[in-house]
Amino acid sequence: MSKQLSTLAAAGLTIVALAGCTDADASSMSSASPTAAAEPATDSEYTIPDVTGECVDGMATIVDDSSNVTIDGDCENVVVEASNSIVTVTGAVVNLSFNSSITLVNVSTVDNVAFVEGANGNKVATSSAPVITDSGEGNIVAAD
């Protein structure tokens, strides 16, 4: 009787031991197929619009987002409210202020530059050394 019990116990242990085994190759051979990477859009028809800015009575306010804006000549006060734009002023500016983010302003000379709170990631490219008031973050005033 003890021989039968030993044989039965050994068979039971063998079954338990084998139950935890799996075929490693079988689990890695899933039915998933490889996916192709998305193709980048190369034929985009979007172009950045060119906009002519106007300085009226010594004041220009730029409001065209994602645009290439040009102001010809001097303008005493320029306020940039457009984001993601490039603004070029061909003349001199006394006061340049930003109420926007991620905008580049190219200006020959500027006396004062102000970035309000929330005006972040802007850049002024100029050969002058203006007085800067910066209440935003990540703004740069540098030589062009």
Side-chain angles (χ1 to χ4, degrees):
M1 178 135 179
S2 71
K3 188 174 181 180
Q4 279 182 326
L5 195 54
S6 294
T7 305
L8 188 58
L13 288 173
T14 303
I15 291 172
V16 170
L18 291 175
C21 293
T22 59
D23 184 3
D25 290 335
S27 63
S28 66
M29 299 288 290
S30 66
S31 62
S33 59
T35 57
E39 292 292 321
T42 56
D43 294 330
S44 175
E45 292 184 26
Y46 179 77
T47 57
I48 298 173
D50 289 324
V51 177
T52 301
E54 292 186 29
C55 185
V56 178
D57 296 328
M59 178 73 160
T61 302
I62 309 303
V63 295
D64 297 295
D65 290 337
S66 303
S67 297
N68 195 9
V69 182
T70 302
I71 300 171
D72 286 323
D74 297 343
C75 191
E76 186 175 349
N77 300 295
V78 176
V79 177
V80 180
E81 294 182 355
S83 292
N84 299 317
S85 293
I86 299 172
V87 179
T88 302
V89 182
T90 61
V93 173
V94 175
N95 299 302
L96 173 62
S97 62
F98 286 82
N99 298 324
S100 64
S101 294
I102 314 170
T103 297
L104 167 64
V105 174
N106 297 301
V107 58
S108 55
T109 62
V110 58
D111 295 338
N112 302 292
V113 176
F115 301 99
V116 301
E117 186 174 343
N120 303 320
N122 297 291
K123 180 178 180 181
V124 177
T126 183
S127 58
S128 60
V131 174
I132 302 166
T133 304
D134 192 350
S135 298
E137 295 180 12
N139 298 304
I140 299 169
V141 177
D144 50 351

